[in-house]
Amino acid sequence: MITTLLIGILAPLVLGPALLLISPKLKSNLGWLALFIPLISILAIVKVGLSVYSNHVINAMTLSMDWVPSLGINFSFLVDGVSLFFGLVVSIMGLLVVLYSKYYLHETVQDNGRFYCYLMLFMSAMLGTVFANNLIVLLVFWEFTGITSFLLIGFSHEKKDSRRGALMAFITTGFTGLLLLAGLILLTILFETSDFSKIVSLIG
């Protein structure tokens, strides 16, 4: 099941840069191809959700694989009602934004590959943040969200307002990232684990 979830989370990250590479060939038709990427995430998340749904109840489940075992850090994700809901919100909104952009970007086809690439990277970052169960994984995806939001907001970098907005977003997410890092360090020291589900169980 973790493979299916990873496909849902990482498909935009892996396939997004490919859109940038093939954009000169597809031009305005690139949007139709880009639609398949959030659709992959939606189908993967739905499949994971159905696998943990029984008797009208979503049974929370932790999916993990080794990442840095020497430090006790796992590539861990939590599948429950909240993460599934927001995972679908992120991926469905990504699909709708791509569909809207298919017509909005018709006059700037030379840049649509870059936009779709940034959008897919942002969606992957958001999905990782939503499903992250390990605090270190959460921090990594959160910082990735900040970087990709900077790229998206500054997409029209030739405009002064776009550059100013991107800089403000970068400063804001960077500052909150530092606060998040401090909080995660304190939680890890206090509970002697970086797994969010374990921390919640200890508090309960």
Side-chain angles (χ1 to χ4, degrees), residues 95-193:
L95 180 71
L96 294 176
V97 171
V98 171
L99 183 60
Y100 175 79
S101 302
K102 168 67 179 66
Y103 300 96
Y104 180 78
L105 294 174
H106 69 282
E107 295 179 351
T108 56
V109 293
Q110 69 274 15
D111 286 332
N112 62 357
R114 182 163 56 90
F115 175 79
Y116 289 128
C117 177
Y118 293 166
L119 181 61
M120 294 302 105
L121 296 180
F122 179 75
M123 191 175 82
S124 184
M126 288 294 295
L127 288 172
T129 302
V130 165
F131 284 101
N133 182 53
N134 185 281
L135 300 181
I136 305 301
V137 175
L138 172 63
L139 179 65
V140 170
F141 277 108
W142 173 259
E143 292 299 330
F144 190 38
T145 301
I147 294 171
T148 51
S149 63
F150 168 79
L151 294 174
L152 274 174
I153 296 173
F155 173 70
S156 301
H157 53 80
E158 69 280 358
K159 298 179 181 179
K160 185 177 180 180
D161 289 342
S162 180
R163 295 195 300 270
R164 184 186 298 113
L167 180 60
M168 288 299 298
F170 187 76
I171 293 173
T172 302
T173 54
F175 178 70
T176 54
L178 289 175
L179 295 178
L180 177 62
L181 175 61
L184 298 186
I185 291 174
L186 290 175
L187 284 173
T188 303
I189 294 174
L190 180 62
F191 294 99
E192 298 181 345
T193 180

